[in-house]
Amino acid sequence: MTKFLKYTAIAAAMAAIAPAAFADTPTTKGGLTIKSDDGRFEATVGGRIHFDGTALNVDDNTIGTNENGGFYFRRVFITLKGKAFGWMYNIDEDISNTSKDAPTISKQAGAGAGFNDVWIGKSFGDTTVYVGQRKPFRSLDELASNNDTVFMERNVLSANGILGGRDYTDGVFVKYTANNLWIGASGYSQTKVGKGNTEGLGGNVRVAYAPINSEGALLHIGASYTVDQFDLIASNPGYGNPTAGYATSLGKSGIGFNVFSGFTTNANTAKVNTLTVEAMGVIGPVFLQGEYGSAKYKRDGDAKDGQKVNAFSATASWFITGESRPYKAADATYGAAKINGVDGAVEVAVRYDNIKNKDTDAKVSAVTVGANYYFNPNVRFMVDYAFANAEGATNVVVGESTKPKALMARAQFAF
């Protein structure tokens, strides 16, 4: 509450002084935007509320994981962003208590600080440079806004899966966007706000192209390659021992299974090389998305070649009311559909996820079906049902398989 009051006071002060300082008129689409007449200064106050309910069910072959469900705030964001003298800034603060870290395949929810995208940026023509904290340019679903994702949980090619909870990082990020071509590169430390300094480093590059990009018709293809190095000293803060797996639902504890649970001893350094490829299409009211990834885990000094984890995901959705998902060229990903009628929009969807350790045969697969009702451009209601199968992963009885299920619902307000 203290943080909320602080940011509200800041927003009110900005709203009070901006018209006098810039001689302009504030505008609103739920949030508040103040822009100077000459366009050189701009400030926006926004946010989002994601209020979730979950019902989790596991069988007797699941160990070490409970069925914590119920209602809770998944996200409560206060967002301040704008520009001045050609420079941009963005501050996303999550003031909820349940979404201050990535899903629980590698750590408990609620650990760490509530900062998400916090950066200073500058554009040079078609190229933009960001300094601060944001997500490296990796998979398609990982970069999509959680206000726009088809399902409540991202697919297995995200920090919810093969990236092992590593979402936001601190570093330098550069992207180029022109003529439906998108190129991005990141250099970062293996940490984020609230996790402390670390010697671990990482870097990646992503390239995407949309040869077809018009209203109701889209074809997008892309690929990314990431090299992450981790300091495995036991007391090392930041993102320490890397993992990979899948969580069917975050919940308050979640149902998470690792197919790679980290290196057995905390010594030396380790590298993870991750390749992803992606494709996305829109044909009228139909949305299609497919992603594949492969990650190689190797600790320095080990005689063995390490372990390899492969993952893939396929999504299909259909707007019964005729809308189409738009293309977000700035991030080379998808956005939320623009509602055609006064009665809102209805979307139904299905997704298949699979992740497997090629060396240990540990694997997790999941099918998710869902329905979304877009009441208006600010309000969305979501219902998802996920059922999974896990074998050889953490939290599974040795020699057995387990079939967890999760029913999830969300009320979302974004402004």
Side-chain angles (χ1 to χ4, degrees), residues 263-276:
F263 296 95
T264 55
T265 59
N266 291 320
N268 301 327
T269 59
K271 289 184 180 179
V272 181
N273 298 337
T274 306
L275 170 69
T276 68

Side-chain angles (χ1 to χ4, degrees), residues 103-114:
T104 58
I105 56 175
S106 61
K107 57 183 77 68
Q108 289 297 316

Side-chain angles (χ1 to χ4, degrees), residues 141 154-157 246 277 279 289-293 311-315 351-354 366:
D141 220 43
R154 289 186 169 88
N155 68 22
V156 75
L157 273 300
Y246 193 51
V277 293
Q289 175 188 348
E291 297 190 71
Y292 170 83
F312 66 89
S313 177
T315 298
R351 183 178 73 200
Y352 178 75
D353 291 288
N354 184 286

Side-chain angles (χ1 to χ4, degrees), residues 117-302:
D117 281 295
V118 182
W119 46 257
I120 300 170
K122 174 71 174 176
S123 293
F124 304 90
D126 296 323
T127 301
T128 305
V129 179
Y130 305 92
V131 177
Q133 177 171 291
R134 61 174 299 156
K135 290 184 176 181
F137 303 124
R138 295 183 288 211
S139 72
L140 176 65
D141 220 43
E142 177 71 1
L143 293 176
S145 169
N146 49 47
N147 284 328
D148 303 332
T149 51
V150 181
F151 296 95
M152 291 171 58
E153 301 296 336
R154 289 186 169 88
N155 68 22
V156 75
L157 273 300
S158 67
N160 200 28
I162 198 170
L163 299 178
R166 305 185 303 275
D167 49 7
Y168 292 93
T169 59
D170 296 341
V172 179
F173 312 85
V174 183
K175 71 176 184 181
Y176 168 86
T177 306
N179 301 318
N180 293 322
L181 174 65
W182 192 100
I183 302 173
S186 313
Y188 50 87
S189 296
Q190 297 291 352
T191 190
K192 63 179 180 179
V193 174
K195 283 188 170 295
N197 294 330
T198 176
E199 293 184 6
L201 297 172
N204 92 306
V205 61
R206 176 176 181 251
V207 179
Y209 180 58
I212 301 175
N213 181 16
S214 60
E215 186 174 354
L218 171 69
L219 175 61
H220 159 106
I221 54 176
S224 74
Y225 188 74
T226 303
V227 177
D228 288 319
Q229 176 178 297
F230 299 89
D231 184 357
L232 297 181
I233 297 174
S235 59
N236 178 57
Y239 296 118
N241 211 333
T243 62
Y246 193 51
T248 58
S249 171
L250 177 64
K252 293 181 179 178
S253 176
I255 304 176
F257 304 94
N258 285 333
V259 297
F260 179 79
S261 55
F263 296 95
T264 55
T265 59
N266 291 320
N268 301 327
T269 59
K271 289 184 180 179
V272 181
N273 298 337
T274 306
L275 170 69
T276 68
V277 293
E278 62 194 48
M280 175 173 59
V282 173
I283 308 172
V286 176
F287 171 80
L288 302 171
Q289 175 188 348
E291 297 190 71
Y292 170 83
S294 181
K296 185 66 175 290
Y297 299 80
K298 178 71 165 62
R299 185 175 55 186
D300 293 348
D302 281 2

Side-chain angles (χ1 to χ4, degrees), residues 23 47 66 103 137 144 161 173 208 239 250 328 336 357 380 382 392 394:
N66 56 38
F137 303 124
F173 312 85
Y239 296 118
L250 177 64
K328 280 190 172 182
N357 187 318
R380 175 170 69 157
M382 310 175 71
T394 58

